[in-house]
Amino acid sequence: MDLPRFITIQESSHRIHNPITGDKLATLGRALNLAPGTRVLDLACGSGELLITWARDHGITGTGVDISTVFTARARARAAELGVADRVDFVHGDAAGHVSEEPVDVAACVGATWIGGGVAGTVELLGRSLRPGGLMLIGEPFWRREPPNQETLEACHADTRDEYGLLPELIERFAGLGYDLVEMVLADQDSWDRYRAAQWFNLRHWLDRNPDDELAARVRTELATAPARYARYEREYLGWGVFALMGR
Ligand code: SAH
């Protein structure tokens, strides 16, 4: 049980595996007014940057769960580097169905709602770990513009147009699940570039060092095609944000 190696190569330099920058993550942490000691659960935490930097900046404590051994190992090293290893811990495992033993103050799933089979299922899953009145954080794509054709859907990793909504539709979806939207921090095209464009350097550096690896041909093809595809589709059509929700 692990993340495919292709993705860990592609995102080898990333501390945040989403189109949100460290600055935007810090903005979100400040916007939420997190009190010291706030308990946070982060499902599909990646390399743990949310928990680690918020532990440093706001004194939160927390647990991250992720299926990638590479990312969870990196999270532990980064927590030690920033001096917060006693406040956050990282568990390697499948986050689908993961419910914390003690209720938490903040339950997050940032950019991985497939673990609950979509937004509704992930809201339900996080709700099972959350104390009454707690805060839920969901990172999710939305359409910046109406996707005009099938190529756009495919390049934006959507099987159907309705897999995502336009921003107001996504917000209404949260409302329909019985939640108030109380904050949001959205990606922009620059923060998308920090996520996607940074992958190309990772691929190229890896390719130069590993020309005979079994993944080399695939990495070569990706590097040759991904930048234009990204500029044509994802950068134009796909928005992304972290949405803070409270149950009604
Ligand atoms: N929230 C993190 C990572 C987002 S990328 C961040 O914002 O940086 C998506 C993450 O989901 C990856 O780290 C991947 O390893 C993890 N993942 C995918 N399927 C998973 C599963 N079933 N259980 C736990 N983690 C999973």
Side-chain angles (χ1 to χ4, degrees):
M1 183 176 62
D2 213 327
L3 199 61
R5 192 161 66 100
F6 185 87
I7 297 179
T8 55
I9 293 167
Q10 183 166 255
E11 303 196 4
S12 59
S13 71
H14 291 53
R15 289 203 174 113
I16 302 172
H17 307 273
N18 268 311
I20 185 170
T21 58
D23 285 347
K24 284 179 182 285
L25 196 57
T27 298
L28 178 64
R30 284 194 302 273
L32 300 179
N33 286 314
L34 300 163
T38 298
R39 296 155 304 171
V40 183
L41 173 70
D42 189 5
L43 297 185
C45 63
S47 301
E49 194 70 0
L50 179 151
L51 288 174
I52 295 165
T53 54
W54 291 2
R56 178 194 61 190
D57 298 341
H58 303 288
I60 62 117
T61 64
T63 299
V65 182
D66 199 280
I67 210 164
S68 166
T69 50
V70 173
F71 293 168
T72 47
R74 214 179 314 145
R76 288 185 202 108
R78 174 88 169 142
E81 183 195 336
L82 295 196
V84 297
D86 56 336
R87 269 179 265 160
V88 290
D89 69 325
F90 294 97
V91 179
H92 170 241
D94 189 350
H98 182 101
V99 177
S100 61
E101 283 169 21
E102 301 284 321
V104 296
D105 304 302
V106 178
C109 176
V110 178
T113 53
W114 59 83
I115 65 165
V119 170
T122 300
V123 165
E124 196 273 331
L125 172 64
L126 292 175
R128 286 158 59 196
S129 293
L130 200 59
R131 71 160 168 80
L135 199 59
M136 194 176 286
L137 302 178
I138 299 271
E140 182 69 4
F142 57 85
W143 298 116
R144 287 183 71 225
R145 296 161 55 188
E146 195 61 55
N149 51 34
Q150 189 62 28
E151 292 82 69
T152 311
L153 297 184
E154 282 168 19
C156 295
H157 327 287
D159 291 329
T160 63
R161 185 282 180 202
D162 288 337
E163 191 164 328
Y164 314 133
L166 294 164
L167 180 58
E169 293 171 344
L170 177 58
I171 290 172
E172 284 165 354
R173 204 175 281 183
F174 295 134
L177 296 170
Y179 284 79
D180 287 325
L181 178 64
V182 295
E183 255 295 0
M184 64 182 189
V185 173
L186 303 184
D188 54 26
Q189 288 178 307
D190 290 336
S191 66
W192 265 107
D193 296 345
R194 289 309 83 232
Y195 175 53
R196 282 290 179 218
Q199 296 177 352
W200 310 330
F201 237 141
N202 294 340
L203 292 175
R204 177 57 198 258
H205 281 147
W206 181 90
L207 198 55
D208 288 347
R209 287 193 311 270
N210 300 279
D212 301 322
D213 190 281
E214 60 180 11
L215 285 179
R218 188 173 158 208
V219 168
R220 167 47 47 227
T221 303
E222 179 71 8
L223 190 52
T225 54
R229 188 174 65 240
Y230 163 70
R232 183 167 288 125
Y233 299 113
E234 206 174 31
R235 194 175 194 277
E236 279 307 308
Y237 289 95
L238 209 55
W240 192 88
V242 182
F243 301 87
L245 311 173
M246 292 178 74
R248 297 212 173 113

